[in-house]
Amino acid sequence: MQTIIARSLPSLKKNLNNLKKNQKVGLVPTMGCIHDGHLALVKKCKKSKYFTIVTIFVNPAQFNNQKDLEKYPSQEKKDLEMLKQYNVDLIFIPKARQMYPAGYSTYIKEITFSDVLCGKHRKNHFSGVLTIVLKLFLIVQPYAAFFGEKDFQQLFLIKKMVKDLNIGVKIIGIPTVRDSYGLALSSRNKLLKGRDLEIAKKIYLNFKKIRYLNYKHIKDIELYLKKELKNSGLNNLEYLEVRDSNSLNKPKHIRNGKKLRVFIAVYVGGVRLIDNYKLN
Ligand code: PAF
């Protein structure tokens, strides 16, 4: 089947109305600049035999910095080619004024976990993410939606929103896709130049070192990692924190049964990179 491209809400709705009655829809929301990380979500969605919809929309509401929004990479032609190759059923590419028409003023706010980690440094970022994701859920009404674990806090908050607001969409998290050096794939990697790319690859190499340590206190792991990252040239750290994978809370000690994860945001050559790593 040919990939349908919908650039407006009426065109999307028309195509959704044409679907067979019991055809389940799988949604893969993206901001474009498609890479293997996105394609892993698409593959999983296709494998489940869902009518696969990929959205490409650089959501202004989730950028707290106008420069960052302007700098965000885009490559629509290449994205469309790649998604067609993966037999995506429909690609939705709305314009900002369609999603946020003049006078738009309704936003979602989660009040407990949105102001830690990335949220602490990117004011209203998660409000913007949850707002666009909820809008896409309401417009598309998918059976399932797919998100990468690289944005672990985002995935956590989307699951929380779905639970809190009784939204009937199945949320599927997909493990982070890494390059052969372990660098988490991200659209922002395109902005890394020369030596900065080499430095960025050190994030994962340092993460892997923690597995062999026998620390009892979370603080000690954090201090160790910060030192090692600095020695590797990763000295512009925004945050580095170990948290509970299930609750996103910050435990003091390492206890049996607690699933821990280290979270990082770091600037490399002016590019903000995030990653996370399961400790146990
Ligand atoms: O992860 C992203 O690319 C974005 O935050 C998302 C989920 C597409 C919402 O704009």
Side-chain angles (χ1 to χ4, degrees), residues 29-31 57 59 62 129 132-133 147 151 154:
T30 82
M31 299 209 295
F57 180 62
N59 173 32
Q62 69 188 74
V129 170
I132 195 65
V133 169
F147 299 89
D151 298 288
Q154 167 174 287

Side-chain angles (χ1 to χ4, degrees), residues 31 59-65 68-69 72 114-129 151 153-154 188 238-239 265 267 272 274:
M31 299 209 295
N59 173 32
Q62 69 188 74
F63 286 81
N64 57 329
N65 175 329
D68 193 26
L69 172 63
Y72 200 83
S114 295
D115 293 335
V116 299
L117 301 170
C118 286
K120 189 170 171 190
H121 303 271
R122 300 185 75 189
K123 206 169 173 299
N124 293 330
H125 168 68
F126 288 114
S127 170
V129 170
D151 298 288
Q153 187 180 10
Q154 167 174 287
R188 290 177 192 263
E238 188 178 81
Y239 66 78
Y267 282 89
R272 186 177 182 276
I274 62 167

